[in-house]
Amino acid sequence: MEPMESERGMTMGNRGWLERLREYEAPNVTFVDADGGWPIVWVSARGEWVWDVEGRRYVDLTAGFGVAMAGHRSPALVRAIRAQLRSLLHGMGDVHPHVGKVELLEQLSRITFERWTGQGGGRRLRGRAVLGCTGFEAVEIALKTAQRATGRPWVVAFEGGYHGLGYGALNVTHRELFWRPFESQLRRFGCFAPFPGREEDLGRVERCLSRLQRRRAIGAVLVEPVQGRGGIRVPPASFLPWLRAWCDRHGALLILDEIFTGFGRTGRWFACEHFGVVPDVICLGKALTGGFPLSACVGRSDVMESAWPPSAGEALHTSTFQGHPVGCRMALEQIRELERRDLAGRAAGMGAWLMERLRGLRPAPGLEYEVRGLGLMVGLEVRRSDGGPATAVVLDALKRMLVRGFLLLPEGADANVVAFTPPLTVSRAGLERAVRALGECLDEAARATTRERPDHA
């Protein structure tokens, strides 16, 4: 059994720790179910496993929001952290750089634009980056880059898209739940187009972008190659190439938000590689370090040079913890680990197998299932037979999965998509048990929901 983080964790169960949390945390942060079935309180994690304060063990099929790509507490990462702590714990951001920051910037260029360009006799381009602390900060750096490089304020984003909750990112995050409470303080520079799920939807996207382009000065198009929080939505293969061509025609930057999809999640190093598209700017985070708040906005060198002038002593975008030494060292080790173990290749094979197993589930009475995804970014959408989202069934099923020892999250605006984004090191046996348990939990939840709400039978 994994040792407890501290003896205190053993003296109080989940419910006791959650009561203490509710006393001191702002009420809108952690959802605590009245019946005590959600959430659990983590105390330790290793590989694909998580332990709670009561000593129960769970298979983590979320990778901690997609962060623990090489597994929780990867031994290589732990060694890198310990080595860094012995030499440099804090740096000086944009003033006095440290060695690890320089090395990481070189590696980010190598795995993005240097790898994507220069083929077939073309000119090899470097990537130049601004580091941040969170994913939404990387998005906001990209938005600033687009405005400075093009001089045009408007950005096209997509329905269902999620790019974070900072005041800049809220302008391009679609779900009203997040931006409506702060609308009076937002300067709306984002406009939205439909996100296509099928080839037939592309005509509607084209008409929408043409209409927006006539009315507004579009400086950039921002898109997730696969929508994560939007419900694991995968666009048709021609969508990103079409967007690339549209941006080229109209002088707009193509910004890819690969905060969720990057670093092997979809079976390639970056999801854009499935579609043969090179962006102007790419936003990275989550799995970049495997467990430390660090993000990056990496742009084509000529774009970044036109957007950001040489520093005269004050950076236009920076922070106290910019390019933190521990985060940079972890990121360097994470990149080495992903390459050494070919975890992107493993994600491709395991993801195809997982989708096949999920497609083999027989829907519970009154429900319909749809499976979609790329690599180990897989969603099972659950709808009622009348076409409506089976939200209550999914939420009930995921609480039942928690009792059985599996951590899963719902995605999509209606929270009716069961999302699988496990560590890329997850065992096939763990996934097999999870699929079998999910089928049973959905059946149980459907029967329970029918008893409570017979109108949806």
Side-chain angles (χ1 to χ4, degrees):
M1 176 179 169
E2 178 77 3
M4 287 291 183
E5 184 179 76
S6 70
E7 291 298 319
R8 292 187 305 129
M10 303 177 69
T11 61
M12 188 182 304
N14 285 307
R15 193 181 290 267
W17 282 103
L18 292 171
E19 283 300 318
R20 289 177 64 174
L21 180 73
R22 287 167 69 131
E23 289 293 319
Y24 295 100
E25 185 177 62
N28 189 246
V29 179
T30 303
F31 168 73
V32 179
D33 201 319
D35 67 8
W38 188 286
I40 61 169
V41 178
W42 292 27
V43 75
S44 184
R46 186 181 68 232
E48 66 193 73
W49 301 101
V50 167
W51 285 262
D52 71 6
V53 291
E54 297 175 358
R56 295 191 179 93
R57 188 175 74 164
Y58 304 81
V59 179
D60 179 16
L61 300 170
T62 74
F65 298 128
V67 168
M69 203 70 89
H72 289 284
R73 220 172 72 214
S74 158
L77 284 183
V78 172
R79 288 192 296 270
I81 295 167
R82 287 174 174 164
Q84 185 61 49
L85 292 179
R86 286 194 292 267
S87 60
L88 185 65
L89 182 57
H90 178 61
M92 287 194 70
D94 61 324
V95 178
H96 298 294
H98 59 90
V99 170
K101 176 181 176 180
V102 179
E103 292 176 334
L104 178 57
L105 292 172
E106 289 174 341
Q107 288 299 307
L108 290 174
S109 175
R110 177 184 68 83
I111 65 175
T112 58
F113 290 93
E114 290 181 39
R115 196 162 59 89
W116 295 333
T117 60
Q119 301 174 13
R123 184 164 67 97
R124 184 175 298 279
L125 297 173
R126 288 180 178 171
R128 302 189 70 164
V130 179
L131 300 179
C133 295
T134 65
F136 84 73
E137 187 181 2
V139 169
E140 294 189 348
I141 297 166
L143 297 173
K144 290 180 176 181
T145 299
Q147 193 278 334
R148 289 192 55 82
T150 68
R152 303 181 212 155
W154 285 88
V155 176
V156 176
F158 289 86
E159 295 171 1
Y162 178 88
H163 303 287
L165 303 183
Y167 267 31
L170 278 175
N171 285 278
V172 288
T173 289
H174 181 250
R175 203 182 304 178
E176 188 173 341
L177 165 72
F178 297 119
W179 58 260
R180 179 65 73 184
F182 312 102
E183 185 177 20
S184 64
Q185 292 182 312
L186 297 178
R187 178 181 182 269
R188 301 300 297 182
F189 57 79
C191 46
F192 296 93
F195 186 84
R198 303 168 301 167
E199 199 75 31
E200 308 89 87
D201 299 333
L202 289 177
R204 195 157 60 99
V205 178
E206 183 174 7
R207 289 190 295 274
C208 182
L209 261 69
S210 296
R211 184 171 63 253
L212 291 172
Q213 195 274 330
R214 288 195 301 270
R215 296 175 180 175
R216 297 180 174 127
I218 305 297
V221 174
L222 170 65
V223 65
E224 300 161 273
V226 178
Q227 286 191 344
R229 294 200 67 179
I232 318 295
R233 299 172 68 196
V234 183
S238 60
F239 174 56
L240 283 186
W242 182 87
L243 271 188
R244 173 72 276 175
W246 190 93
C247 288
D248 290 341
R249 282 198 309 274
H250 297 287
L253 298 187
L254 177 61
I255 303 171
L256 295 187
D257 180 343
E258 293 237 23
I259 291 162
F260 207 153
T261 55
F263 299 100
R265 168 61 59 197
T266 68
R268 300 281 182 92
W269 262 89
F270 301 100
C272 60
E273 295 168 14
H274 288 282
F275 309 101
V277 166
V278 176
D280 299 302
V281 178
I282 187 168
C283 301
L284 305 174
K286 289 192 183 293
L288 170 60
T289 67
F292 192 91
L294 185 77
S295 63
C297 170
V298 188
R300 210 175 63 229
S301 56
D302 58 319
V303 170
M304 300 302 275
E305 288 159 13
S306 68
W308 302 100
S311 175
E314 289 287 356
L316 291 177
H317 188 101
T318 189
S319 66
T320 300
F321 296 99
Q322 197 246 26
H324 192 279
V326 176
C328 288
R329 188 56 56 192
M330 287 178 67
L332 287 164
E333 190 57 47
Q334 175 85 326
I335 291 168
R336 278 193 288 268
E337 187 82 343
L338 293 172
E339 289 183 324
R340 182 180 68 80
R341 301 172 68 177
D342 186 24
L343 292 182
R346 190 173 193 274
M350 289 287 280
W353 174 85
L354 173 60
M355 284 192 281
E356 183 179 348
R357 289 290 292 113
L358 287 170
R359 289 187 179 112
L361 290 179
R362 185 171 63 185
L367 297 180
E368 299 172 349
Y369 298 165
E370 179 187 341
V371 178
R372 54 182 181 259
L374 272 180
L376 277 174
M377 189 173 187
V378 176
L380 173 70
E381 182 170 4
V382 184
R383 306 193 76 84
R384 301 191 307 266
S385 55
D386 64 5
T391 303
V393 172
V394 167
L395 297 182
D396 188 352
L398 295 193
K399 288 172 62 177
R400 294 171 188 270
M401 288 290 285
L402 193 63
V403 172
R404 292 189 182 214
F406 299 96
L407 297 179
L408 285 160
L409 288 174
E411 298 291 7
D414 297 305
N416 68 317
V417 179
V418 180
F420 285 79
T421 59
L424 305 190
T425 56
V426 67
S427 65
R428 181 168 292 195
L431 287 177
E432 179 70 53
R433 291 195 304 273
V435 171
R436 191 182 311 119
L438 180 61
E440 294 169 0
C441 287
L442 285 168
D443 285 344
E444 294 167 6
R447 287 196 296 270
T449 303
T450 299
R451 286 195 298 271
E452 293 169 13
R453 300 181 64 186
D455 54 312
H456 284 163

